[in-house]
Amino acid sequence: MDKKTIMVMKKNFDDIMHTTEDGSVEFWYARELMECLGYTTWRRFKETIERAKESCVNAEANIFDHFANVGKMVKIGSGAMREKEDVMLTRYAYYLIAQNGDSRKEEIAFEQSYFAVQTRKLGMFL
């Protein structure tokens, strides 16, 4: 992957990051993240989220601390508003989604590599 593509991908992920009002927690909305990770349908991406939740439980972490179901109001074709399912994700949830995603997707492969490098920088592996 060339340097320009990497920079564009990183910017895309940074652009959709949200923070709590006090700025203490970073989070992402799954529907925004879905597109950045190369998924085109919510159904497929939700399967990845479910695998990530399973990993979270297997790691003995509380999924409710990392995956929060939310509803967002969106405008539909007629102009009316409708609630759409979404999930607020912590950085850890984002990491688990990347690890459980379809690595044939360039965006997922990028995220897997990104998190591996970040983990290495933090000295989490010997």
Side-chain angles (χ1 to χ4, degrees), residues 1 5 9 37 102-111:
M1 188 178 303
T5 303
M9 286 182 158
L37 291 176
D102 182 352
S103 59
R104 294 171 295 186
K105 294 180 181 301
E106 182 180 39
E107 299 88 349
I108 291 288
F110 167 76
E111 288 302 314

Side-chain angles (χ1 to χ4, degrees), residues 58-70:
N58 290 339
E60 298 181 2
N62 185 341
I63 62 170
F64 301 109
D65 290 344
H66 302 286
F67 299 85
N69 292 328
V70 296

Side-chain angles (χ1 to χ4, degrees), residues 53-61:
K53 285 180 176 180
E54 190 175 321
S55 291
C56 187
V57 169
N58 290 339
E60 298 181 2

Side-chain angles (χ1 to χ4, degrees), residues 60-113:
E60 298 181 2
N62 185 341
I63 62 170
F64 301 109
D65 290 344
H66 302 286
F67 299 85
N69 292 328
V70 296
K72 292 176 88 176
M73 297 303 287
V74 295
K75 191 178 281 192
I76 59 175
S78 66
M81 298 297 280
R82 186 178 104 199
E83 187 173 63
K84 218 173 199 181
E85 173 188 14
D86 207 343
V87 183
M88 285 175 56
L89 308 162
T90 64
R91 181 172 290 277
Y92 181 61
Y94 179 177
Y95 164 79
L96 291 175
I97 287 169
Q99 297 310 308
N100 285 279
D102 182 352
S103 59
R104 294 171 295 186
K105 294 180 181 301
E106 182 180 39
E107 299 88 349
I108 291 288
F110 167 76
E111 288 302 314
Q112 289 173 343
S113 178

Side-chain angles (χ1 to χ4, degrees), residues 2-88:
D2 64 86
K3 190 173 184 173
K4 182 180 178 191
T5 303
I6 291 169
M7 291 177 68
V8 168
M9 286 182 158
K10 176 144 180 22
K11 182 180 179 339
N12 289 343
F13 292 109
D14 290 344
D15 286 349
I16 63 167
M17 181 184 71
H18 302 270
T19 57
T20 54
E21 286 183 23
D22 65 2
S24 64
V25 177
E26 299 172 342
F27 68 92
W28 289 261
Y29 287 109
R31 286 192 182 268
E32 294 172 351
L33 185 60
M34 175 181 89
E35 293 177 24
C36 287
L37 291 176
Y39 287 85
T40 56
T41 64
W42 176 247
R43 182 180 60 81
R44 287 279 192 212
F45 192 59
K46 192 164 180 181
E47 292 169 1
T48 302
I49 292 171
E50 292 305 315
R51 286 192 304 273
K53 285 180 176 180
E54 190 175 321
S55 291
C56 187
V57 169
N58 290 339
E60 298 181 2
N62 185 341
I63 62 170
F64 301 109
D65 290 344
H66 302 286
F67 299 85
N69 292 328
V70 296
K72 292 176 88 176
M73 297 303 287
V74 295
K75 191 178 281 192
I76 59 175
S78 66
M81 298 297 280
R82 186 178 104 199
E83 187 173 63
K84 218 173 199 181
E85 173 188 14
D86 207 343
V87 183
M88 285 175 56

